[in-house]
Structures are given as structure tokens and as C-alpha cells.
């Protein structure tokens, strides 16, 4: 599937989370998103790769597309890195299918049933909608906050370990919790994509810029060799990580959401200053 999209050398790759990173839900006119779209089309679209990496399932991603003027990505990574789509919907309206090579990698060692049973033991975990329960992702809302929420995360990790489940727990946005296969995350999904890029067409000469706002974006920033932009409205867990990992390749924007992404493109001299 990857070869159908990765069919030419790319100068640069931009990877962005959607909610509260590319999309500012408080910006009813979508001013900053329109500005990003205009910049991308004028300076990048011809020879660069646009990747959206979101916690949303494909269903909720499509709902967001109906609500805001998102550009069309070349690659879509959904469900916190557990589903990668290299193909766009066909003319018959059929939905694209997740990349089989990535799916097979995630199958290794994953026991969804045991993970589900471990989470069911904690009353503070409330399942998210059925559309967000995916083959390689279990999603919950944590009903408590602060230290109490951190305790729930720790208890869940202990229960998963006791059950012999090799899984990863990601807590983000002060409420959302995902249980994933040990080898899954937004970062691991990106590493897989970059491996496919290098194998098929070669590494982009201007590198990779990742953009995010919450805890489930941390592993994007940790991918070796990438530059990162933390938008100004980022959650405390991402700010804490960025403060602990200072680097000239890490930019803390002074603008919200897509405005911060445009700011980062200018900061790293990837786009012209306007």
C-alpha cells in the first residue's frame, strides 16, 4: 500500500496532531487553519509529504473533516498510531484499509481480551464511544483528576503486568487514556512510516517536523532526528516533557494551534516569513 503514495522523493515531511494542534476548536472562523492551508499549498504541497497523526478513529476523523476545512493528507495515522492509511477513499466511496504490514507488526504479543479485562477492574475508567475501541486500541475517560488520575494509571499498569499483558498506557489531555500494544504509539507509527519512506524513495533532505499539544504526542517528539513544535496551548504533560528535553530542534511556539505550526515553519527557515 505504501508504494502507491510514496512514489517520489520528498523534500520535507510535516506531521501534525489534529485536535488543538492543527485544529483550534475555539477559532470558529478557522483563521489559523486557513492560513496554514494557504501556506502549505503555496510552498510545500508540490514536493512535500503531509501526515496527520490523530487519536481519532477513521470515523471520527471523517466527522472532523465535515466540520472544519482540513487539507487532504498524503498519509493518515489514526487511533494513536495503531492504524496507518496510505490510500484515499476510492471513487466508489469505499473506505481505505489500514496498512497490513503495520497491522501485522502490532498483532505480535497483543492480547486485547486480557487488556480489556484488566481495565474493567478499575471503576474510574469509563469506556469511550464504541467507534474508539479499535483492534489495537482500548480507549477510556479517567473520571478523576490530578494525583488521583496518576494513581489510576499506575494501578492499571500493575494490573496489566500481573495479567501478563505487554501493553502501553498513554494518558493525555487530563482525561483520555489509551491502552495500546507495546510497540504502538504515534511515535512508533511515525518511525514505521519514515522507514517506509527511506526504503522506497529516500530520506527527505529538509527533514521532518512534528507538531503536537498533549501527552499522546510525546512519542512523536522522541522520534530520533525529527524537529518538534509544541503549540502554545499545549497541555501540562507535554510542556513538562519539553522542559525536561531542551534542544535546538524543539520549538515552543507563542501561537495557538495551526498558528504555532506556521510559526515553527518560519522559525526553522522552512517557510518564508510573511
Amino acid at each position: 500500500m505504501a508504494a502507491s503514495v510514496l512514489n517520489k522523493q520528498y523534500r520535507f515531511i510535516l506531521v501534525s496532531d489534529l485536535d488543538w494542534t492543527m485544529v483550534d476548536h475555539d477559532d470558529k472562523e478557522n483563521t489559523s487553519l486557513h492560513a496554514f492551508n494557504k501556506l502549505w499549498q503555496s510552498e510545500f504541497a508540490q514536493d512535500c509529504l503531509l501526515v496527520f497523526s490523530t487519536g481519532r478513529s477513521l470515523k471520527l476523523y471523517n466527522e472532523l473533516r465535515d466540520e472544519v476545512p482540513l487539507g487532504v493528507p498524503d498519509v493518515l495515522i489514526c487511533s494513536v498510531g495503531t492504524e496507518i492509511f496510505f490510500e484515499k477513499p476510492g471513487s466508489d466511496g469505499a473506505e481505505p484499509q489500514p496498512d497490513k504490514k503495520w497491522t501485522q507488526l502490532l498483532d505480535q504479543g497483543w492480547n486485547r481480551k486480557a487488556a480489556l479485562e484488566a481495565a474493567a477492574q478499575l471503576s474510574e475508567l469509563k469506556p469511550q464511544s464504541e467507534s474508539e475501541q479499535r483492534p489495537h486500541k482500548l480507549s477510556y475517560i479517567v473520571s478523576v483528576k490530578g494525583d488521583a488520575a496518576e494513581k489510576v494509571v499506575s494501578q492499571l499498569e500493575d494490573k496489566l503486568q500481573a495479567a501478563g499483558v505487554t501493553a502501553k498506557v498513554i494518558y493525555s489531555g487530563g482525561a483520555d487514556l489509551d491502552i495500546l500494544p507495546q510497540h504502538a504509539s504515534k511515535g512508533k507509527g511515525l518511525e514505521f512510516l519514515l522507514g517506509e519512506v527511506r526504503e522506497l524513495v529516500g530520506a527527505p533532505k529538509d527533514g521532518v517536523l512534528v507538531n503536537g499539544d498533549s501527552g499522546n504526542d510525546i512519542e512523536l517528539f522522541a522520534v530520533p532526528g525529527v524537529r518538534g513544535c509544541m503549540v502554545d496551548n499545549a497541555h501540562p504533560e507535554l510542556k513538562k516533557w519539553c522542559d525536561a528535553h531542551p534542544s535546538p530542534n524543539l520549538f515552543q511556539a507563542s501561537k495557538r494551534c495551526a498558528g504555532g505550526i506556521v510559526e515553527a515553519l518560519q522559525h526553522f527557515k522552512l517557510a518564508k516569513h510573511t
Side-chain angles (χ1 to χ4, degrees):
M1 282 189 190
S4 65
V5 172
L6 306 180
N7 54 13
K8 65 179 181 180
Q9 178 102 38
Y10 294 97
R11 171 172 61 90
F12 166 66
I13 299 175
L14 185 139
V15 183
S16 181
D17 173 50
L18 292 178
D19 295 286
W20 303 108
T21 300
M22 183 64 72
V23 178
D24 186 345
H25 295 283
D26 288 338
D27 179 6
K28 302 307 180 185
E29 301 299 320
N30 294 302
T31 304
S32 61
L33 181 55
H34 281 301
F36 170 82
N37 289 343
K38 181 179 180 181
L39 177 64
W40 186 262
Q41 287 301 315
S42 65
E43 297 192 30
F44 297 94
Q46 294 303 311
D47 60 354
C48 300
L49 195 73
L50 179 62
V51 181
F52 289 159
S53 182
T54 177
R56 288 176 177 246
S57 63
L58 182 62
K59 178 179 183 293
L60 290 191
Y61 165 74
N62 286 331
E63 289 180 6
L64 183 64
R65 286 197 58 82
D66 290 338
E67 296 168 4
V68 299
L70 282 173
V72 179
D74 300 291
V75 181
L76 176 64
I77 305 177
C78 282
S79 299
V80 198
T82 61
E83 296 175 350
I84 301 177
F85 299 93
F86 288 103
E87 61 179 66
K88 298 177 175 63
S91 58
D92 59 357
E95 285 192 348
Q97 296 300 308
D99 183 73
K100 290 181 180 179
K101 183 177 178 181
W102 179 237
T103 297
Q104 290 168 354
L105 287 172
L106 295 187
D107 281 339
Q108 299 172 14
W110 172 235
N111 189 333
R112 188 181 188 277
K113 181 176 182 291
L116 189 64
E117 291 172 350
Q121 298 175 45
L122 295 168
S123 61
E124 297 90 348
L125 296 180
K126 311 299 181 184
Q128 293 185 25
S129 64
E130 189 61 32
S131 70
E132 301 315 288
Q133 312 305 328
R134 309 299 297 163
H136 298 97
K137 179 175 77 80
L138 298 171
S139 294
Y140 300 86
I141 297 294
V142 183
S143 62
V144 293
K145 303 292 183 183
D147 291 343
E150 295 296 338
K151 183 178 179 181
V152 171
V153 172
S154 180
Q155 289 174 332
L156 175 60
E157 290 173 336
D158 290 344
K159 290 183 182 298
L160 289 167
Q161 184 176 7
V165 179
T166 54
K168 180 178 297 181
V169 177
I170 298 180
Y171 176 58
S172 62
D176 298 317
L177 183 143
D178 299 301
I179 305 174
L180 313 175
Q182 185 61 41
H183 301 296
S185 68
K186 286 186 174 183
K188 295 299 184 185
L190 177 58
E191 288 181 0
F192 172 81
L193 169 61
L194 296 180
E196 295 291 282
V197 170
R198 287 191 294 270
E199 179 180 337
L200 293 170
V201 297
K205 70 180 185 66
D206 288 346
V208 180
L209 175 66
V210 304
N211 304 268
D213 76 297
S214 71
N216 70 16
D217 298 316
I218 287 173
E219 290 203 24
L220 284 178
F221 287 72
V223 171
V226 306
R227 287 177 282 194
C229 166
M230 180 184 72
V231 293
D232 184 57
N233 53 292
H235 287 278
E237 67 266 18
L238 182 58
K239 290 183 178 181
K240 181 180 179 180
W241 188 91
C242 289
D243 288 342
H245 299 81
S247 166
N249 287 329
L250 181 58
F251 177 65
Q252 300 193 26
S254 63
K255 296 180 180 179
R256 294 172 54 87
C257 300
I261 299 174
V262 171
E263 188 182 2
L265 289 169
Q266 296 169 342
H267 170 80
F268 288 118
K269 302 188 186 316
L270 295 163
K272 300 172 184 175
H273 285 267
T274 57

